[in-house]
Amino acid sequence: MKSKPCGLTKRIDRHKNPRPNRFMKPRYNLLNIILLAQPMRDTSLTANAPSTWQCGRYVLDTSRPLVMGILNLTPDSFSDGGQFIEPELAVQRALQMIADGADIIDIGGESTRPNAPKVSCCEELCRILPVIDALMDCGVPISVDTCKPYVMRETLKLGVDIINDIGGFNNPVSIETVADSNCGLCVMHMQGTPQTMQDNPHYDDVVAEVAKFLAQQVQRLSLAGVAHNRVCLDAGFGFGKSLAHNHALMRGLHELQGEYTLPMLVGVSRKRMIGAITGRDAPAERISGSITAALWALNNGAHIVRVHDVRETVDAIRIWDFLNTP
């Protein structure tokens, strides 16, 4: 079974990588990060982490925290929709995040917020290909956030290093598309679709059910020839989960790793769950809450955090590591 091309026949013009000589000023100067009052399990972030994650041209060291910077090339993403839809602005934003300490740049051309409209392969590729092309020599792995096999195939032709699939490679064509490459894979759990996922999500045991799905997908990938060191796992916070479900998953990160103890990715940056806890309605006001959650996750089983605010997150991680160094 093969996916059909969407009619994109003309190669999009290449965009030169602009000089990284102008960097955006951070919106917030977070001088103090107040951690959750609950005691931490370990004083060393990413304790007991798998040693490496194979991601295309790169082998990433997962014994230290990794920060994945979010680059949304969409007009309707929940936090920063429309800000970086122009390729030159998007490239500048990516270079700024790298300068701020991002280990990975995750590029998305389709919003996956609740009730987001679907986007065609053609539209998604038109948004992301010029930016990918310009960033291929930026010095960090390039990840593509997509659930479409055709988009996966076309971006792999450009040499991207990671495919981040919110569908968890539940489509057999997606597995077929990535199996013979050497790219890293982010396997995420989602109940329903972006259009339906928050319509009264229900689980009997959310940690057990998400863990079972992730283990099944790892097994399916393994049967297709995908080595375990190419795979990381994502519980899919906010993707068909209530606040109670998200809370249970955060506290069950170690259980989600399964028998292979694969790297765990946590993405809660600026999400509704942060707003529900803090009372902050605007996504841009959820930065300190997002950083607190990222630190908690890294100290309780996560190895990678996917964030909008790279500089502030990296600063917080550095302070945490320094204060816990004897």
Side-chain angles (χ1 to χ4, degrees):
M1 179 178 180
K2 295 184 178 180
S3 60
K4 297 181 180 179
C6 64
L8 186 74
T9 57
K10 185 180 292 185
R11 181 182 178 87
I12 298 172
D13 291 340
R14 299 174 68 91
H15 288 259
K16 294 184 178 179
N17 195 335
R19 296 179 182 177
N21 58 356
R22 294 182 63 191
F23 295 132
M24 297 164 53
K25 293 182 180 180
R27 294 182 180 178
Y28 298 87
N29 182 16
L30 298 178
L31 298 178
N32 295 292
I33 302 296
I34 301 176
L35 296 177
L36 296 174
Q38 182 171 342
M40 299 290 189
R41 295 182 182 176
D42 300 293
T43 58
S44 175
L45 295 181
T46 67
N48 302 317
S51 58
T52 60
W53 181 26
Q54 176 66 54
C55 300
R57 300 166 295 167
Y58 299 85
V59 178
L60 299 182
D61 177 10
T62 54
S63 66
R64 66 172 184 86
L66 297 175
V67 175
M68 174 184 279
I70 299 169
L71 186 61
N72 288 321
L73 310 183
T74 59
D76 57 345
S77 290
F78 80 94
S79 177
D80 53 5
Q83 292 186 31
F84 309 111
I85 200 165
E86 293 297 326
E88 290 186 0
L89 292 177
V91 172
Q92 289 173 5
R93 174 59 175 163
L95 294 175
Q96 176 62 65
M97 289 194 289
I98 294 167
D100 289 342
D103 299 288
I104 303 164
I105 299 297
D106 187 45
I107 300 173
E110 179 177 20
S111 175
T112 53
R113 61 175 173 78
N115 300 311
K118 294 183 179 181
V119 172
S120 69
C121 289
C122 295
E123 181 64 25
E124 188 173 344
L125 286 169
C126 285
R127 292 173 179 177
I128 67 177
L129 285 183
V131 178
I132 293 171
D133 212 11
L135 291 172
M136 285 307 297
D137 295 323
C138 68
V140 302
I142 298 299
S143 170
V144 173
D145 182 357
T146 187
C147 60
K148 298 183 179 71
Y150 185 68
V151 174
M152 295 177 190
R153 178 159 50 248
E154 293 305 303
T155 55
L156 284 170
K157 287 178 182 177
L158 284 183
V160 300
D161 303 290
I162 300 168
I163 298 295
N164 181 8
D165 183 2
I166 64 167
F169 299 92
N170 210 22
N171 184 339
V173 184
S174 297
I175 295 179
E176 178 186 327
T177 301
V178 301
D180 292 334
S181 73
N182 199 32
C183 67
L185 306 175
C186 295
V187 180
M188 197 194 85
H189 174 274
M190 173 172 57
Q191 186 179 88
T193 68
Q195 293 73 37
T196 65
M197 61 188 182
Q198 292 306 110
D199 296 343
N200 193 31
H202 172 77
Y203 302 86
D204 293 327
D205 183 333
V206 66
V207 175
E209 291 174 48
V210 171
K212 180 179 179 181
F213 171 82
L214 295 175
Q216 288 174 340
Q217 295 312 104
V218 171
Q219 180 65 17
R220 291 178 66 189
L221 287 164
S222 180
L223 290 173
V226 175
H228 291 154
N229 69 342
R230 289 176 53 194
V231 179
C232 84
L233 306 176
D234 182 349
F237 293 93
F239 284 82
K241 282 93 175 175
S242 67
L243 180 59
H245 296 145
N246 290 326
H247 179 256
L249 289 167
M250 268 288 202
R251 296 183 59 81
L253 288 175
H254 286 290
E255 298 174 53
L256 297 176
Q257 282 185 283
E259 63 180 292
Y260 304 115
T261 61
L262 299 175
M264 288 296 306
L265 182 151
V266 166
V268 296
S269 179
R270 300 191 183 186
K271 285 187 176 180
R272 186 178 300 176
M273 64 173 283
I274 303 298
I277 297 167
T278 62
R280 306 293 184 184
D281 292 331
E285 295 180 349
R286 301 170 184 168
I287 297 176
S288 57
S290 298
I291 295 171
T292 304
L295 286 178
W296 198 94
L298 288 169
N299 200 58
N300 287 272
H303 309 97
I304 309 147
V305 287
R306 184 177 181 272
V307 304
H308 296 87
D309 306 289
V310 171
R311 178 179 297 184
E312 294 86 346
T313 304
V314 169
D315 284 354
I317 291 171
R318 287 172 177 167
I319 295 297
W320 178 258
D321 275 342
F322 176 81
L323 293 176
N324 282 286
T325 301

